[in-house]
Amino acid sequence: MEQALVLRDVRKSFGTTKAVDGITLTVPRGALYGVIGPNGAGKTTCIRMIMSILFPDSGELSVLGRRSSLDAKDRIGYLPEERGVYRKMKVGAFLTYMAQLKGVSAEDAEARVPTLLESMALPGTENKRCEDLSKGMLQRVQFIAAVIHQPDLLILDEPFSGQDPVSVRLLRERIEHEHRRGATVLLSTHVMANAEEMCQHVVMIHQGRKVLDESMLGLRRQFDTRTIHFEPLDANADPSPLQAVPGVERLDRHEDSFTITLSDGVDPAGAIGRLAMAVAPARVELARLRLEDVFIRIVAEGATGGDAARALRASLLAPGAEGALV
Amino acid sequence: MRRVWLVASREFMAAVANRGFVIGLLIMPAIFAGLFTLMPRLMNRPGEQIRAEVRVIDSTGQIFEGLRTALSPDAIARRRLDTTKRVLESTPEAVRDVAGSSAETAMDRALGTAPALTVVERPASADLQHEKSWLTEARPASAPRRLLVVVHPNAVVPKAGNEYGTYDIYVPENTDERIETTFYDGFRESALSARVRAQQMDRAQVEAVMRIPRATSTTVALDAERRTDVRFNRALPFVFAGLLVFGIMIGGQTLLTQTIEEKSSRVIEVLLSAVSPLELMAGKILGQMAVSMLVLALYILIGLALLSSFAMLGLLDPLLIVYLIVFFLVGYLVFASVFAAVGAAVNEMREAQSLMTPIMLALMAPWFFAAPIGRDPDTAFSIAMSLIPPVNTFAMMVRLASSTPPPFWQVALSIAIGLGSALAAMWFAAKVFKVGLLLHGKPPTLGTLIKWAKMA
């Protein structure tokens, strides 16, 4: 009952293409999940099956405790990747219509529209026709259409695509607002920076399979403490003092910088100080885990199968794999 | 059901509450009105009178003098007035009362400016070849056009066996047909008088003997007697078949374009998160049905108002309108489902064309069979057509509007068959709708659609 979303070995093929090849996933209530993966990975197919727009060939699905999202439509907010509006309709009328379809009374819907438009920096656009709005503005209108009925589960397929930075920030604020309100949020994106900063938990899909299912906290704990990027002030400086610093396990030379791997249990703060003393630095920084690196590594290696995540983690942890983390 | 209702009302409002709809509603009557007022003016450029010189070789010697009189401007004007009166006489009384005296000027305008003909007599002994060469001589543009007429020797007095002759006419290239028509009228006048004279009879008497006024016809029913009008009855099947097709076309076409627009504007997936494909389709079909009904009701009201203003309301059996609505509903459901399926299957209007061809042919069918069925509503062909979907609704409507309405069991059977095919069409459309809505690929063929229906 506490799960907002459960997928058990869900499969879907189109002709000979296996779009989703056995995905199992659990999203607890109140969570903020990010689904990442390259184009064609199966994210949208997965989401469409969750929305009962497509139906799985096999496997089980439960949405908000129901067997099908059709039974819970009014409690789900959905922003599809391919989204549009009725071009000739007025913004206010369109939003009211969508809200009514989701079971909100006409009066309530009309009352909510102005506030929501204001919150999305679209004040006073109720009486404009949709076709008179810019593309970015329409994206925000579509987001309002997904949340106007205050859903328990919010599913956003590529919410940030085609948005300028200001809109992205606004949208993030609103998504976090919905999350604080108590909604479970599942969003797919390939803008990794957004997923990194917003999501509590990341699921990576590649070639129809789940290759990663991990909380951001867990990911950071595992990946982010042992690698340091070091760029000497003098590009021709002798690197041997660096190698001699206590706690340095390995030193890899790049064009004009070094990647330093620390031994287990070494305090990175102390190590950075010692390294800076050894060679005058232009730049010293602790390498942080970037989802983008994980993403690129999986795509590049074509990692699939159940062992993929383990293999990936191993490759990320292995010395000499830092190239992927730069 | 609440969602179906919401979708239907949105569809209805989107279709009705815009300028395009009002314009579309008025465009048909406007086109007809325009045609009726403009066409005669276009056909007869006013002010430009055609002049012609007609050379006549009259071997009878009895026609030319009469011809000169009959082709004088006065005589031509008088004949045209007679024609006008005759035409007006054959129109229903009420129309004449409404049109009043303006009808005569209208007719006059419709006939255009009368050609001016100058007749010149050539001797009976004139050489035909020589006379013909006159036609091919170069003629200045401002000079009158030329005609050569040779009257047959037996044009006035018959040869053995009452065989009367007429005349041969020789014209250069590019002759105006109105000159020949005008000449024929004049010749007829003159030749008739000459023939009657030759038989020593009185022209007025002969004409009186020949005239039989148009009969009034009355339909006798059990409850009442109703005046009938042959032409009205003949037109009725066409009018009703036309209304039926027209009503279906309005809703069907909008359904098609709206569905394609929802697909191409990508609003469809947003909608599908709130309503199921079936609810969406049902709502759309219902909404457009309401639009079609509105238009149909409006045209029926206009038609009834016209009939009543011409005091011809009694000619129409009110039951026909009830049947029109019933058959509209049945026929609409069949065709609208298919229109919706096609709309859901294609990505843009252009791709819809090939799938629409068979549907459009079915919708055109009434124009081909309305005449034979309207005339003989009880033949095997008529009965078969009124039972075969999807044209059964049209054929049955034509039969109902004809002079011999079909037995009730056939009407009921046709409605039942129509409802059955409506269910089948909706089942098919629902399947295609479910599969097609989110597919944006190469345009499907009829075969693909059937595959989808089996698959879903």
Side-chain angles (χ1 to χ4, degrees):
Chain A
M1 192 52 213
E2 285 315 303
Q3 312 301 350
L5 204 56
V6 179
L7 279 76
R8 208 165 291 129
D9 197 27
V10 169
R11 291 168 196 274
K12 177 77 182 176
S13 300
F14 297 106
T16 52
T17 319
K18 285 179 181 167
V20 171
D21 193 10
I23 285 187
T24 297
L25 177 68
T26 307
V27 178
R29 290 230 168 150
L32 206 170
Y33 261 53
V35 178
I36 56 177
N39 293 329
K43 301 187 299 274
T44 296
T45 307
C46 224
I47 286 178
R48 284 180 172 174
M49 284 192 286
I50 293 170
M51 289 307 300
S52 291
I53 288 169
L54 294 176
F55 296 90
D57 300 335
S58 68
E60 276 178 42
L61 237 148
S62 137
V63 183
L64 293 174
R66 307 294 176 94
R67 298 281 308 196
S68 156
S69 65
L70 295 176
D71 302 329
K73 267 193 164 153
D74 292 352
R75 293 166 59 204
I76 306 173
Y78 176 45
L79 182 69
E81 184 182 12
E82 295 198 337
R83 42 194 178 247
V85 292
Y86 284 109
R87 296 174 46 76
K88 298 281 173 198
M89 248 179 140
K90 287 182 176 163
V91 173
F94 174 71
L95 290 174
T96 311
Y97 174 59
M98 289 310 298
Q100 279 184 282
L101 282 180
K102 294 285 194 177
V104 180
S105 74
E107 300 78 53
D108 283 358
E110 274 161 27
R112 286 178 200 173
V113 166
T115 335
L116 282 167
L117 282 173
E118 201 141 336
S119 75
M120 288 303 280
L122 296 164
T125 48
E126 292 103 305
N127 289 320
K128 284 193 176 164
R129 282 174 191 270
C130 288
E131 60 188 353
D132 295 333
L133 264 56
S134 75
K135 196 177 164 225
M137 291 163 102
L138 280 182
Q139 299 248 32
R140 281 178 263 155
V141 170
Q142 285 149 356
F143 178 79
I144 297 176
V147 299
I148 191 164
H149 56 298
Q150 302 179 337
D152 296 335
L153 174 62
L154 186 57
I155 294 179
L156 310 165
D157 198 356
E158 299 285 356
F160 304 111
S161 71
Q163 302 269 27
D164 62 62
V166 178
S167 295
V168 168
R169 180 170 301 172
L170 192 62
L171 207 52
R172 271 183 50 184
E173 279 170 20
R174 295 313 299 176
I175 294 171
E176 279 157 5
H177 172 84
E178 290 296 317
H179 182 228
R180 280 197 301 277
R181 186 177 58 73
T184 311
V185 181
L186 179 81
L187 63 91
S188 86
T189 180
H190 54 251
V191 183
M192 301 297 156
N194 288 315
E196 247 165 60
E197 289 170 43
M198 290 178 68
C199 299
Q200 301 170 330
H201 198 105
V202 185
V203 175
M204 192 180 297
I205 294 179
H206 184 50
Q207 295 185 350
R209 287 162 178 266
K210 186 173 81 173
V211 291
L212 190 74
D213 186 348
E214 187 73 74
S215 73
M216 278 308 291
L217 211 63
L219 274 176
R220 286 206 189 95
R221 197 172 295 140
Q222 287 180 42
F223 294 125
D224 73 351
T225 55
R226 303 199 327 150
T227 307
I228 289 169
H229 299 302
F230 189 97
E231 192 181 321
L233 200 55
D234 175 9
N236 300 318
D238 174 19
S240 52
L242 291 176
Q243 184 80 65
V245 169
V248 171
E249 185 182 293
R250 191 192 156 106
L251 181 74
D252 291 283
R253 178 163 202 145
H254 303 291
E255 199 81 338
D256 47 8
S257 70
F258 300 93
T259 302
I260 295 160
T261 311
L262 303 177
S263 313
D264 264 338
V266 175
D267 169 33
I272 285 175
R274 290 195 293 278
L275 287 168
M277 299 279 279
V279 176
R283 181 172 68 93
V284 192
E285 68 183 21
L286 198 59
R288 286 196 51 146
L289 174 86
R290 285 163 58 194
L291 283 174
E292 201 174 312
D293 307 326
V294 181
F295 178 90
I296 288 170
R297 169 53 66 97
I298 289 177
V299 175
E301 293 190 349
T304 52
D307 302 331
R310 221 171 307 125
L312 167 83
R313 201 164 300 153
S315 74
L316 284 170
L317 290 170
E322 290 78 10
L325 292 177
V326 172
Chain B
M1 205 52 220
R2 175 180 57 87
R3 298 198 187 104
V4 174
W5 176 247
L6 279 167
V7 174
S9 7
R10 198 212 75 88
E11 284 282 324
F12 181 78
M13 289 314 288
V16 171
N18 66 50
R19 244 172 300 153
F21 178 76
V22 182
I23 293 169
L25 207 58
L26 299 176
I27 203 119
M28 283 279 279
I31 286 176
F32 277 114
L35 278 182
F36 283 127
T37 52
L38 269 180
M39 279 303 279
R41 285 164 205 246
L42 288 176
M43 277 173 65
N44 304 290
R45 292 147 300 184
E48 193 185 314
Q49 194 186 33
I50 302 162
R51 293 177 303 132
E53 183 184 336
V54 189
R55 294 192 174 175
V56 182
I57 303 174
D58 178 14
S59 56
T60 65
Q62 296 176 54
I63 285 185
F64 182 76
E65 270 318 304
L67 203 53
R68 195 200 291 278
T69 332
L71 288 174
S72 70
D74 276 356
I76 292 177
R78 203 170 45 246
R79 268 202 306 281
R80 281 160 55 102
L81 197 62
D82 285 345
T83 317
T84 310
K85 279 186 181 149
R86 227 176 17 252
V87 171
L88 286 179
E89 255 166 47
S90 66
T91 52
E93 252 169 82
V95 180
R96 236 174 308 157
D97 292 345
V98 174
S101 59
S102 66
E104 280 177 25
T105 36
M107 275 295 295
D108 197 46
R109 199 175 294 140
L111 289 171
T113 318
L117 303 185
T118 324
V119 273
V120 176
E121 184 167 23
R122 304 295 293 167
S125 57
D127 173 42
L128 185 56
Q129 286 313 316
H130 180 258
E131 296 294 328
K132 274 187 199 165
S133 66
W134 168 69
L135 294 174
T136 49
E137 275 169 29
R139 174 179 69 89
S142 59
R145 290 154 193 265
R146 292 167 179 175
L147 264 81
L148 175 64
V149 168
V150 180
V151 180
H152 293 177
N154 58 341
V156 175
V157 180
K159 283 197 286 200
N162 268 348
E163 196 184 314
Y164 280 105
T166 171
Y167 59 90
D168 293 322
I169 191 160
Y170 299 94
V171 295
E173 288 175 272
N174 308 324
T175 305
D176 194 295
E177 149 281 333
R178 279 169 289 182
I179 302 174
E180 286 184 48
T181 324
T182 312
F183 180 83
Y184 173 82
D185 291 342
F187 181 87
R188 186 173 181 279
E189 176 70 31
S190 164
L192 277 182
S193 299
R195 288 175 188 180
V196 170
R197 247 193 336 271
Q199 299 282 342
Q200 279 146 9
M201 289 189 286
D202 178 28
R203 172 92 194 261
Q205 203 183 342
V206 172
E207 275 173 14
V209 167
M210 299 290 290
R211 185 178 304 126
I212 297 176
R214 193 166 282 280
T216 56
S217 144
T218 307
T219 305
V220 183
L222 277 178
D223 46 352
E225 291 190 359
R226 207 168 59 226
R227 221 186 69 215
T228 40
D229 185 301
V230 184
R231 269 152 306 145
F232 182 83
N233 284 349
R234 213 176 290 151
L236 213 52
F238 281 96
V239 171
F240 274 85
L243 279 174
L244 201 53
V245 173
F246 182 63
I248 289 172
M249 287 283 281
I250 295 177
Q253 284 282 2
T254 330
L255 199 57
L256 179 72
T257 46
Q258 290 268 3
T259 313
I260 293 176
E261 202 208 306
E262 277 171 7
K263 247 189 106 170
S264 65
S265 73
R266 305 286 197 259
V267 77
I268 201 86
E269 198 170 343
V270 179
L271 292 178
L272 286 185
S273 73
V275 297
S276 70
L278 201 63
E279 287 170 329
L280 184 61
M281 189 183 88
K284 293 175 77 67
I285 290 181
L286 280 181
Q288 292 305 334
M289 186 168 86
V291 177
S292 285
M293 286 288 272
L294 177 71
V295 176
L296 213 52
L298 217 65
Y299 281 136
I300 292 176
L301 281 181
I302 292 175
L304 290 181
L306 280 177
L307 282 183
S308 101
S309 74
F310 292 155
M312 290 165 78
L313 205 53
L315 295 178
L316 188 70
D317 184 354
L319 196 60
L320 270 184
I321 292 176
V322 177
Y323 275 130
L324 176 67
I325 291 165
V326 171
F327 278 102
F328 162 74
L329 291 178
V330 174
Y332 171 82
L333 285 179
V334 176
F335 281 94
S337 309
V338 182
F339 273 106
V342 171
V346 302
N347 308 303
E348 46 180 306
M349 203 58 198
R350 199 162 39 82
E351 296 171 3
Q353 299 301 342
S354 64
L355 288 170
M356 289 306 296
T357 313
I359 305 171
M360 292 319 268
L361 277 179
L363 279 171
M364 293 295 287
W367 304 123
F368 301 114
F369 65 50
I373 293 182
R375 213 174 325 108
D376 302 307
D378 285 331
T379 57
F381 171 75
S382 304
I383 294 172
M385 289 308 267
S386 63
L387 297 178
I388 298 174
V391 294
N392 61 330
T393 44
F394 305 134
M396 191 46 96
M397 197 64 235
V398 171
R399 290 182 68 195
L400 281 164
S402 72
S403 49
T404 347
F408 181 73
W409 69 266
Q410 287 186 8
V411 182
L413 183 60
S414 182
I415 293 177
I417 290 174
L419 285 176
S421 41
L423 280 179
M426 281 191 283
W427 174 86
F428 171 75
K431 300 278 186 184
V432 173
F433 220 73
K434 214 165 135 186
V435 179
L437 279 183
L438 291 175
L439 288 186
H440 298 281
K442 69 176 169 63
T445 60
L446 203 63
T448 338
L449 293 194
I450 292 168
K451 209 167 80 194
W452 287 356
K454 282 185 187 152
M455 190 173 89

